[in-house]
Amino acid sequence: MLDQELLRPSLKEGGVKATKSYDLDKLIYVGFFGGILPVLALGTVNAVWLRADKKRTMLLLTAGLTVLAGRFAAIVATGEEGAVFVHSRLAGIVMAFAYRFALKKRYRLHTVLQGEHKSMAKAGLVGVVAGFVAEAVLIRLGEGIHHVTHTG
């Protein structure tokens, strides 16, 4: 005789929440054009949308912010902006790959179940512009701090 528990539906109405996601391959373009800041923002938003592991998401965000803080500290220490924008773009691309790797399983599941992606065009463009401006401000701030502490 079959157990009646096996025949009962296991999903309650409203129990399955839809996920949404950007196309994670496009995050690399954001890293290339915008640097690390927009990748951190869009990658973290995407991780929340996909309901990814919070510890892994916070680890990625912390790693990215640590790289950013290290770059800022280097500017304050040396006063040289040098190849800061190039380093930011490289760090952005590396972080985009890290988010892509960390979200791969959740992203595949989303693609199979939902099958569609949100457009990253508007958010990516805003992120690139905002990241460019924020990095320029951080560079100038770091140079200013260096100038004040070393000419003093």
Side-chain angles (χ1 to χ4, degrees), residues 115-138:
E116 56 185 54
H117 303 101
K118 291 184 65 69
S119 172
M120 191 185 289
K122 185 177 179 181
L125 183 61
V126 169
V128 166
V129 171
F132 187 80
V133 170
E135 282 192 35
V137 168
L138 285 175

Side-chain angles (χ1 to χ4, degrees), residues 99-116:
Y99 271 101
R100 186 172 171 228
F101 178 77
L103 300 175
K104 184 171 41 175
K105 288 181 183 179
R106 299 293 301 179
Y107 179 69
R108 280 190 195 154
L109 184 63
H110 165 78
T111 303
V112 168
L113 296 177
Q114 305 294 325
E116 56 185 54

